[in-house]
Amino acid sequence: MSRTRSVPARQPSLREHNLALVLHEVARRGPASRARIAAATGLTKATVSTLVDTLVAGGLLRELGPAGTPGVGRPGTALALAAGPVGVGLEINVDYLATCTVDLTGSVRRRELVAEDFGRIGPEQVLTRAAAALRAAVDDARAGGGCLAGVVVAVPGLVEAATGLVRLAPNLGWRDVPLLAEISARTGLDGVPVRLDNEANLAGLGELWCAGHARADGSPLESFVLVSGEIGVGAAIVLDGELFTGMRGFSGEIGHLPLAPDGPPCRCGRRGCLEQYAGQEALLRRAGLRQPARTTTGRPGGPVERLRAGATAGDPRVLAAVREAGEALGVGIATAINLLDVDTVVLGGLYALLAPWLVEPVGEQLDRRVVAAAWAPTRVVVSRLGADGAVRGAATHAVRTVLEDPSGWLTRTVRA
């Protein structure tokens, strides 16, 4: 959510600003009457009424019926988000492609998965198949009468969002791949915004917007670090309801924090990275499971399920492997907490599945290594979106552009 939408504007662009202010108020707090919107935003009732009429006519708000306190004045009409436009998310990962379509209310309209070992074929073939999956999702949305707000693509690796380049995706074997240009050329989505981001970042936004996490006092959780492990290890940093991406969009590469400068070599070209101690391959090796690493989405009954089953059965070797990984993970997370001063960590991906055995060793390391632990303990919670986090976050990110700029969306649809 844009922090500039918290107070009424007093400049020439006030109509555009205040349209977003009203739409955000309904999106954030649920159905409301015009009077409640006016009280919450500081706008006059007349102004709110005019703005609401515009948003209803544009298909972004809908009227539900009378709303009010029984016996207190004349009830107003409750307003809620309309299904409105849709966003499409596309996730490209090592052994699967996923697409997801959501509407303005956050409801999932469509979810499709293609499982294949994409780490074994070149980017040209992967992008051709990804474009076909995206095209099918877009065609389905349009056939259902949905107006397409945009597309967001999620990829595991170093992503340069501004240029549309995947600079490095070690587990896919990609370097300097012009993903957005290639996807756009293969799909022909003229006039539709198509953006790119790191899959962990988008999973973090999914947890922020769709998971309903709360702080200890019951208020929405708006500052946290999501640590997501599948084949590699990534993180999303969410501060005050905003994703922190760094100057070039490369933040969150927690899997490549150096735990031991002379440790085992990593696919990134360096040595001793956290991924080599807490990643899936390290877990499988220490547990004695001679299987190639696979994601929980692409292979739901694969190696991660064997790890979980072994831990459930009390296999001492598996339990030891998970504990060692948890301790290493705790060291890496403690470094992030000491830098960022957030009080919550969300475990995603395979770490969510292994959480019953990971939370304790992670928590022990946080208590030991976070400087402020005695006064500000860190909570460790589990992802509520699981394997859908990145693709759902991508789709939601695409449609939430309408919340940020409803005036721009309404202008665009009139011109179309």
Side-chain angles (χ1 to χ4, degrees):
M1 182 188 302
S2 171
R3 311 310 284 184
T4 62
R5 306 297 190 194
S6 59
V7 294
R10 305 298 182 197
Q11 61 264 10
S13 62
L14 66 87
R15 178 174 169 78
E16 290 80 4
H17 179 106
N18 289 337
L19 276 170
L21 180 63
V22 169
L23 195 59
H24 267 301
E25 175 61 25
V26 178
R28 183 171 62 249
R29 298 190 188 182
S33 66
R34 289 168 171 81
R36 199 194 85 181
I37 293 170
T41 60
L43 297 168
T44 67
K45 291 181 181 179
T47 298
V48 167
S49 185
T50 300
L51 296 171
V52 163
D53 289 346
T54 299
L55 294 168
V56 170
L60 302 181
L61 288 180
R62 61 192 177 96
E63 295 184 331
L64 297 177
T69 304
V72 180
R74 182 178 176 182
T77 300
L79 298 153
L81 288 180
V86 299
V88 175
L90 166 68
E91 182 183 3
I92 302 173
N93 219 307
V94 176
D95 56 10
Y96 68 90
L97 296 169
T99 58
C100 180
T101 304
V102 303
D103 62 27
L104 192 62
T105 69
S107 298
V108 176
R109 297 284 194 87
R110 182 182 188 271
R111 173 81 160 81
E112 293 292 330
L113 179 74
V114 177
E116 188 173 335
D117 191 350
F118 293 110
R120 292 181 178 272
I121 60 179
E124 286 285 327
Q125 290 176 276
V126 176
L127 292 175
T128 296
R129 297 181 195 187
L134 177 57
R135 185 78 255 178
V138 169
D139 289 346
D140 181 81
R142 287 174 169 166
C147 294
L148 189 60
V151 171
V152 175
V153 184
V155 179
L158 285 180
V159 167
E160 209 170 71
T163 61
L165 289 170
V166 178
R167 286 300 187 186
L168 179 67
N171 295 309
L172 278 167
W174 290 7
R175 184 182 290 270
D176 293 329
V177 174
L179 188 144
L180 282 195
E182 294 291 337
I183 287 287
S184 297
R186 287 168 166 81
T187 55
L189 295 176
D190 295 333
V192 177
V194 183
R195 288 171 292 162
L196 172 68
D197 210 331
N198 169 270
E199 52 92 22
N201 281 345
L202 292 167
L205 290 177
E207 296 292 331
L208 173 68
W209 293 327
C210 310
H213 291 291
R215 293 172 53 84
D217 63 4
S219 62
L221 179 64
E222 293 192 325
S223 294
F224 60 90
V225 174
L226 167 78
V227 181
S228 181
E230 282 293 357
I231 307 251
V233 182
I237 302 167
V238 178
L239 303 175
D240 294 330
E242 301 283 349
L243 182 68
F244 176 78
T245 60
M247 289 183 63
R248 292 173 293 275
F250 296 162
S251 70
E253 288 297 326
I254 196 171
H256 299 289
L257 284 176
L259 258 62
D262 297 322
C266 182
R267 281 199 181 96
C268 72
R270 290 149 189 85
R271 302 184 72 91
C273 295
L274 172 62
E275 195 169 293
Q276 298 307 306
Y277 298 92
Q280 187 184 152
E281 289 180 341
L283 266 163
L284 293 172
R285 185 170 58 250
R286 286 181 171 83
L289 299 177
R290 298 183 180 278
Q291 289 182 264
R294 293 290 185 267
T295 68
T296 54
T297 301
R299 297 291 176 87
V304 176
E305 178 56 32
R306 289 193 63 187
L307 282 168
R308 192 187 68 81
T312 301
D315 184 317
R317 192 166 181 183
V318 172
L319 290 173
V322 174
R323 170 162 278 278
E324 287 179 24
E327 290 172 349
L329 197 60
V331 172
I333 295 172
T335 301
I337 299 298
N338 282 329
L339 285 171
L340 300 170
D341 187 29
V342 297
D343 64 2
T344 305
V345 175
V346 181
L347 298 180
L350 72 89
Y351 299 139
L353 289 179
L354 298 176
W357 305 276
L358 276 175
V359 169
E360 182 178 327
V362 168
E364 288 172 354
Q365 292 301 316
L366 294 177
D367 290 343
R368 184 178 303 166
R369 297 176 184 275
V370 173
V371 175
W375 305 277
T378 304
R379 289 194 310 152
V380 181
V381 301
V382 180
S383 164
R384 294 179 176 173
L385 301 183
D388 281 349
V391 72
R392 190 164 168 191
T396 305
H397 193 20
V399 78
R400 281 182 68 93
T401 57
V402 178
L403 295 180
E404 296 297 328
D405 184 20
S407 179
W409 167 256
L410 294 173
T411 301
R412 176 178 148 194
T413 53
V414 168
R415 288 175 178 170

